[in-house]
């Protein structure tokens, strides 16, 4: 988990509320990612960012939003439009070299979100 | 589109015995293959990767993986399992592209090492 911090570790939300999950990295990585993990489904990509002020939708972006105003920060907002937000959320970062797909991703410790 | 299959949801092995966690992949072009491990309520930790060269890749904690192009497989192995190896293991694949969106993960295999 070194170099990437996520907060809070546990988060509880009432239905209809937006919540923001924090992700910070000090690895000087250009690329950052948000994944959702549900039991038996592995990791699904929500959003990713290759560079500051730019981000792209992943496979399950509906109901989520992100920003990338600083290289080291990539917060994720889970909006009330997300139908089933209870899950474990993982942030990751990696070196980004265009055309080179061999850089491993480094993961934060995760945030477990529960909607009450 | 690239994909990864981990055919076993659960693998049980006795401590001291060799272990294998299976992974097959589908990708256009040359694959880059990764193994990650996840302990309960933690993030993923990188174990090893195959980029090119020797088909046998050695990684952290005594793990190794063998790349087999003809069988499109990248099985994770360890000669002697430890109870502390019990965790969730993920295989992932990527291929050269212009996007940072590179990794596709398998659904994971829960490894339990029995004392």
């Amino acid at each position: 988990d070194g170099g990437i911090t996520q907060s809070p570790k546990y988060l509880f939300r009432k239905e209809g509320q937006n919540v923001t999950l924090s992700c910070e990295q000090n690895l000087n990585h250009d690329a950052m990612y948000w994944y959702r993990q549900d039991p038996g489904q592995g990791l699904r990509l929500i959003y990713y960012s290759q560079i500051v002020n730019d981000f792209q939708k992943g496979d399950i972006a509906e109901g989520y939003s992100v920003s990338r105003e600083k290289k080291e920060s990539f917060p994720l907002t889970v909006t009330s439009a997300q139908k089933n937000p209870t899950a474990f959320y993982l942030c990751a970062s990696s070196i980004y070299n265009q055309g080179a797909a061999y850089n491993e991703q480094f993961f934060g410790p995760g945030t477990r979100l529960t909607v009450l | 589109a690239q994909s990864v299959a981990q055919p076993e949801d659960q693998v049980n092995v006795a401590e001291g015995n060799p272990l294998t966690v299976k992974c097959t992949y589908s990708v256009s072009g040359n694959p880059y293959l990764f193994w990650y491990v996840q302990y309960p309520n933690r993030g993923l930790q990188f174990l090893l990767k195959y980029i090119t060269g020797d088909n046998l890749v050695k990684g952290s904690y005594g793990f190794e993986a063998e790349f087999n192009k003809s069988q499109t497989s990248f099985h994770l192995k360890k000669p002697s399992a430890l109870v502390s190896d019990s965790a969730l293991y993920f295989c992932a694949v990527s291929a050269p592209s212009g996007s940072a969106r590179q990794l596709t993960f398998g659904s994971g295999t829960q490894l339990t090492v029995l004392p």
Side-chain angles (χ1 to χ4, degrees), chain B residues 17-85:
Chain B
N17 283 2
L19 69 86
T20 299
V21 182
K22 296 179 180 177
C23 171
T24 59
Y25 66 90
S26 174
V27 69
S28 298
N30 294 323
Y32 302 129
L33 295 154
F34 304 79
W35 276 102
Y36 289 83
V37 61
Q38 184 182 34
Y39 296 98
N41 295 310
R42 301 290 298 276
L44 276 66
Q45 296 178 31
F46 169 74
L47 278 179
L48 52 80
K49 67 180 178 182
Y50 170 81
I51 299 174
T52 187
D54 194 344
N55 289 343
L56 185 64
V57 178
K58 294 188 182 297
S60 306
Y61 313 119
F63 284 94
E64 59 190 27
E66 186 168 12
F67 171 65
N68 187 316
K69 188 172 184 178
S70 63
Q71 297 186 4
T72 61
S73 67
F74 190 56
H75 301 330
L76 181 70
K77 300 181 180 183
K78 188 174 183 181
S80 179
L82 300 172
V83 172
S84 58
D85 293 330

Side-chain angles (χ1 to χ4, degrees), chain A residues 16-114:
Chain A
Q17 290 181 338
N18 293 355
V19 288
T20 297
L21 282 58
S22 170
C23 177
E24 303 277 333
Q25 55 100 359
N26 62 4
L27 301 170
N28 199 34
H29 286 165
D30 288 307
M32 297 188 74
Y33 312 81
W34 273 106
Y35 293 93
R36 171 179 171 141
Q37 185 178 19
D38 296 283
Q41 295 194 44
L43 275 67
R44 293 185 288 170
L45 184 65
I46 304 173
Y47 269 98
Y48 66 100
S49 169
Q50 299 173 177
I51 196 170
V52 174
N53 293 323
D54 182 64
F55 47 84
Q56 307 295 328
K57 293 182 178 180
D59 298 321
I60 56 166
E62 184 175 354
Y64 300 96
S65 66
V66 293
S67 63
R68 187 86 187 277
E69 297 177 0
K70 298 186 297 182
K71 185 176 184 177
E72 59 270 22
S73 178
F74 192 41
L76 173 75
T77 297
V78 184
T79 75
S80 57
Q82 168 52 231
K83 300 300 182 186
N84 185 21
T86 295
F88 190 52
Y89 291 87
L90 288 163
C91 178
S93 71
S94 73
I95 295 169
Y96 173 56
N97 307 111
Q98 188 169 3
Y102 48 75
N103 297 307
E104 60 268 30
Q105 293 181 11
F106 294 81
F107 285 80
T111 293
R112 187 166 297 280
L113 173 64
T114 302

